[in-house]
Amino acid sequence: MTEAAQKSTAGVTFAARLSFEHISHRFSDHTAALHDVTLTAEPGEVLCLLGPSGSGKTTLLRIAAGIEPQSAGRVLLNDREIAGPSVFLPPEQRSIGLVFQDFALFPHMTILDNVRFGLTALSREEARREAIIALERVGLAHYAAAYPHILSGGEQQRVALARALVPRPAVLLMDEPFSGLDSRLKDSVRAETLDILRQSRATAIVVTHDAEEAMRMGDRIALLKDGRLIQVGRAQELYQSPASLFVAGFFSELNILDADARHGAVETPLGRFEAPGLADGTPVAVAIRLSGFDVGERIGDIPARVVSRRFLGVVELLELAVPGADFHLRARVRCGALSSQAKDIWLSIRKSDVLVFERQPENA
Ligand code: ATP
């Protein structure tokens, strides 16, 4: 093979399917971390595990890696059991790569040695060549002889990515890989990482607690809460058709109005909303996205008084008093939509930004 051909194919893996089947986990101190999670990352996809702190994301990742053996259920790689009642493959036999939040580079080793660290099956020269190719792919080959401390956070993250990808894992697991980066750097490193993942064709599972990050990165998103899988789907599905108030609140800031269903609808100080299929008297939460309002000094059908406004750049955040409501409504509107003196205004609500849920104990 020519060097050029070698270069173009190096690091490309055969994408694998990783499945969790009815995974439950309880730690030795009896903390129940996961309850009956069934989820599949399809070959070549980026699946984001999203959820609040303590929801079980890291535990699920550690179970996939083989660092934490699950209490019940099975893990399958390309439909072959790698962890279950009868089999337990140790981490090094799983063809699974890991990237941690703190990058975990060895400070006393050069960048090149950090990247070739895991290539024990290759000769020293072959490992060197593979490591250089991996560094080229993340644009850092010129740092091969340097030590990690001279690299920026974003560059260290790219080295960690090169190190994880160089053994050509079938699946790459990333635990909050961007949380150590400042917000400006985060966007560019995230975009680069996504490009590199696409080129490598590895299946990737990325843990994050940031819904926007999950939407930017994930082909699909799996939302966890208290160790349970709440909803899985494309970003648009979770945003537009959330399965519960919890899911809706994870993806957008909401105003929440409580009311009871009557004749398939709910009456609120902001008007009447459809609540199809709900029996009379059912407690209902009407959730309205902060971005779901149009405001004006002459247009709109709901009168409101501006209580406060905060300039946020492209948009401003309004706090509004509405007749008959014992709470202040929050709205995020385009700057310039209201004059600087506006006090008594009108608003209208976009239907697509209203979500109606039966109040469940989970939603309470
Ligand atoms: P975060 O975003 O804060 O990292 P997470 O969603 O990744 O949270 P996990 O770290 O998986 O959540 O933790 C799930 C639950 O298991 C939590 O209640 C946590 O306190 C508990 N837990 C995690 N590791 C252990 C452990 N080694 N021993 C006992 N309990 C643990």
Side-chain angles (χ1 to χ4, degrees):
M1 210 191 293
T2 65
E3 201 182 331
Q6 240 176 11
K7 196 167 163 176
S8 64
T9 56
V12 173
T13 60
F14 291 101
R17 173 181 292 108
L18 183 79
S19 302
F20 301 97
E21 268 187 7
H22 302 293
I23 295 287
S24 293
H25 192 62
R26 195 176 275 278
F27 286 101
S28 51
D29 66 356
H30 304 296
T31 305
L34 292 168
H35 306 271
D36 198 18
V37 173
T38 294
L39 178 66
T40 294
E42 297 296 342
E45 86 167 335
V46 177
L47 176 68
C48 281
L49 289 184
L50 176 68
S53 185
S55 56
K57 307 177 297 290
T58 297
T59 304
L60 197 59
L61 215 62
R62 289 167 63 85
I63 287 171
I67 302 168
E68 187 78 45
Q70 71 274 18
S71 312
R74 305 195 305 158
V75 183
L76 302 136
L77 190 64
N78 286 334
D79 304 324
R80 174 178 159 235
E81 189 171 305
I82 57 170
S86 52
V87 182
F88 184 81
L89 282 192
E92 62 278 10
Q93 288 175 23
R94 292 193 178 193
S95 188
I96 287 178
L98 279 168
V99 177
F100 295 105
Q101 181 176 338
D102 58 1
F103 322 135
L105 300 179
F106 301 116
H108 58 286
M109 284 187 188
T110 64
I111 299 303
L112 181 70
D113 285 341
N114 263 283
V115 175
R116 72 173 158 189
F117 181 75
L119 294 175
T120 46
L122 301 183
S123 73
R124 199 172 157 72
E125 189 42 40
E126 278 173 332
R128 199 188 88 84
R129 199 170 52 228
E130 292 284 318
I132 292 284
I133 292 168
L135 280 172
E136 276 170 0
R137 283 167 71 224
V138 299
L140 292 173
H142 55 290
Y143 278 131
Y147 286 84
H149 69 271
I150 71 153
L151 270 57
S152 70
E155 288 164 343
Q156 291 191 31
Q157 205 276 352
R158 276 147 63 192
V159 174
L161 186 62
R163 184 178 59 183
L165 286 172
V166 75
R168 304 179 198 190
V171 177
L172 187 67
L173 308 176
M174 307 179 85
D175 194 356
E176 302 262 5
F178 312 110
S179 57
L181 305 175
D182 73 50
S183 56
R184 246 184 267 173
L185 199 57
K186 221 181 245 187
D187 284 353
S188 59
V189 177
R190 199 160 35 199
E192 282 164 10
T193 302
L194 205 52
D195 273 355
I196 296 162
L197 288 176
R198 298 275 182 237
Q199 281 169 32
S200 77
R201 298 192 215 145
T203 306
I205 302 184
V206 182
V207 162
T208 178
H209 60 265
D210 176 350
E212 193 185 327
E213 180 161 290
M215 291 169 105
R216 280 174 186 245
M217 286 217 64
D219 294 314
R220 285 187 310 145
I221 299 170
L223 184 62
L224 291 168
K225 183 186 183 219
D226 298 333
R228 291 189 165 80
L229 185 60
I230 303 292
Q231 192 171 359
V232 54
R234 296 189 171 276
Q236 217 171 347
E237 288 162 10
L238 271 71
Y239 182 86
Q240 290 176 345
S241 312
S244 66
L245 186 55
F246 167 76
V247 182
F250 218 86
F251 285 90
S252 335
E253 273 191 282
L254 303 170
N255 293 284
I256 299 171
L257 288 68
D258 286 308
D260 288 343
R262 199 148 312 279
H263 307 309
V266 283
E267 295 289 348
T268 77
L270 295 177
R272 180 184 162 89
F273 299 98
E274 300 291 315
L278 296 182
D280 283 5
T282 305
V284 166
V286 178
I288 309 173
R289 294 193 184 99
L290 265 61
S291 54
F293 299 93
D294 288 313
V295 296
E297 281 150 83
R298 287 193 192 83
I299 49 156
D301 42 22
I302 304 164
R305 169 159 290 192
V306 177
V307 176
S308 74
R309 51 200 294 189
R310 185 162 290 273
F311 176 77
L312 299 178
V314 181
V315 294
E316 62 179 319
L317 189 61
L318 304 179
E319 207 183 334
L320 303 167
V322 175
D326 56 2
F327 59 91
H328 286 161
L329 199 66
R330 290 176 306 143
R332 206 176 255 276
V333 300
R334 186 179 47 80
C335 277
L338 293 178
S339 70
S340 56
Q341 301 83 24
K343 196 77 190 156
D344 288 308
I345 62 161
W346 295 89
L347 56 92
S348 55
I349 302 172
R350 262 173 260 126
K351 266 195 163 162
S352 56
D353 288 305
V354 179
L355 301 153
V356 175
F357 300 100
E358 183 179 347
R359 269 273 184 207
Q360 302 285 348
E362 182 218 82
N363 296 337

